[in-house]
Amino acid sequence: DKSTVLYNVIDASEVNRKAAEDSGEYVYDIVYVGRLTSQKNPQRLVKVLAGVAQKCPTIKAAIIGTGELEAETIKAIAEHHATEFIDMLGYSTNPYGVMKQAKVLIMTSRWEGLPMCALEAMALGVPIVSTPTDGLKEIVEDDKTGYLSDDDAVLVDSCCRILREPDRYLRLRTNTLKKATELLNIESFKTSIRAVYDHCFS
């Protein structure tokens, strides 16, 4: 009773507003959004995307972000002969238009808290396929809002099932939006913080 966990929260309406500001039409089925660092394991990300392309040859994927492993990521894309279906888009102040039009947010992190990009994806109704890091285990429900696995083959298969099966995608999208409504309640977050302060200083 001496500790309270307050999960990250974002303004879902603001994320959707920014997505609506982007009038572009994108062809990306799968997106990654984040830093290209050892924590995020971008080399594994490229390997998984290459596996998806073997099973779903028409896919297009986008990597949004920069970092100290950018050169290694580009090298991995070349080594996996993936330049035709993986685009490196670099840093973006508004990645939400690209995210909203995708069917999957993919993550292959070695560890995570509760990443903002995952919450943003949920606010946009984008299912998540990821390694089972701490924070993501709190928000991704298997076969409801996405899929978690530490097995590359399972990650590949999960992406392909979402891309190949429209009914599955729509079900996951609906569940993801519902889960986002539950999680991203700013007023509830404020109430929780007030309760902590009231308890500490009462």
Side-chain angles (χ1 to χ4, degrees):
D1 295 332
K2 293 184 178 181
S3 62
T4 300
V5 177
L6 296 177
Y7 295 105
N8 290 338
V9 68
I10 62 168
D11 187 339
S13 62
E14 180 68 6
V15 171
N16 278 276
R17 183 188 68 77
K18 289 183 177 180
E21 288 179 351
D22 187 344
S23 59
E25 294 186 10
Y26 303 101
V27 295
Y28 300 113
D29 304 290
I30 305 176
V31 295
Y32 165 84
V33 181
R35 296 278 296 162
L36 301 176
T37 64
S38 176
Q39 173 195 350
K40 305 293 187 177
N41 204 352
Q43 295 96 329
R44 184 178 187 182
L45 168 70
V46 172
K47 180 183 176 184
V48 170
L49 289 175
V52 176
Q54 288 181 347
K55 290 192 170 186
C56 302
T58 61
I59 73 144
K60 289 285 289 183
I63 295 176
I64 303 174
T66 59
E68 59 265 28
L69 294 185
E70 184 171 353
E72 286 86 345
T73 305
I74 294 172
K75 180 181 178 182
I77 290 172
E79 289 174 347
H80 286 281
H81 308 288
T83 53
E84 291 187 2
F85 59 85
I86 300 177
D87 288 343
M88 295 277 289
L89 301 186
Y91 173 76
S92 174
T93 58
N94 184 2
Y96 306 121
V98 178
M99 290 173 70
K100 188 169 186 175
Q101 294 181 45
K103 291 184 172 64
V104 177
L105 176 81
I106 189 166
M107 300 183 70
T108 53
S109 299
R110 292 183 167 95
W111 71 91
E112 283 286 355
L114 184 54
M116 290 296 184
C117 66
L119 296 177
E120 291 162 348
M122 295 187 76
L124 296 168
V126 182
I128 298 168
V129 174
S130 175
T131 45
T133 53
D134 291 340
L136 287 161
K137 289 190 287 187
E138 299 290 333
I139 64 172
V140 178
E141 298 178 75
D142 194 60
D143 201 35
K144 290 185 179 179
T145 61
Y147 299 95
L148 297 177
S149 179
D150 207 26
D151 185 317
D152 287 355
V154 176
L155 295 174
V156 167
D157 185 61
S158 297
C159 288
C160 287
R161 284 195 290 169
I162 295 172
L163 299 180
R164 285 174 171 170
E165 302 173 28
D167 289 345
R168 181 185 298 273
Y169 163 69
L170 290 174
R171 174 171 57 79
L172 292 172
R173 173 178 167 77
T174 299
N175 290 338
T176 297
L177 288 169
K178 181 179 179 182
K179 183 74 172 180
T181 300
E182 298 170 1
L183 286 173
L184 306 179
N185 188 321
I186 292 179
E187 291 307 315
S188 177
F189 181 77
K190 291 178 180 178
T191 299
S192 298
I193 288 186
R194 290 191 192 100
V196 171
Y197 276 88
D198 289 345
H199 178 75
C200 290
F201 297 107
S202 60

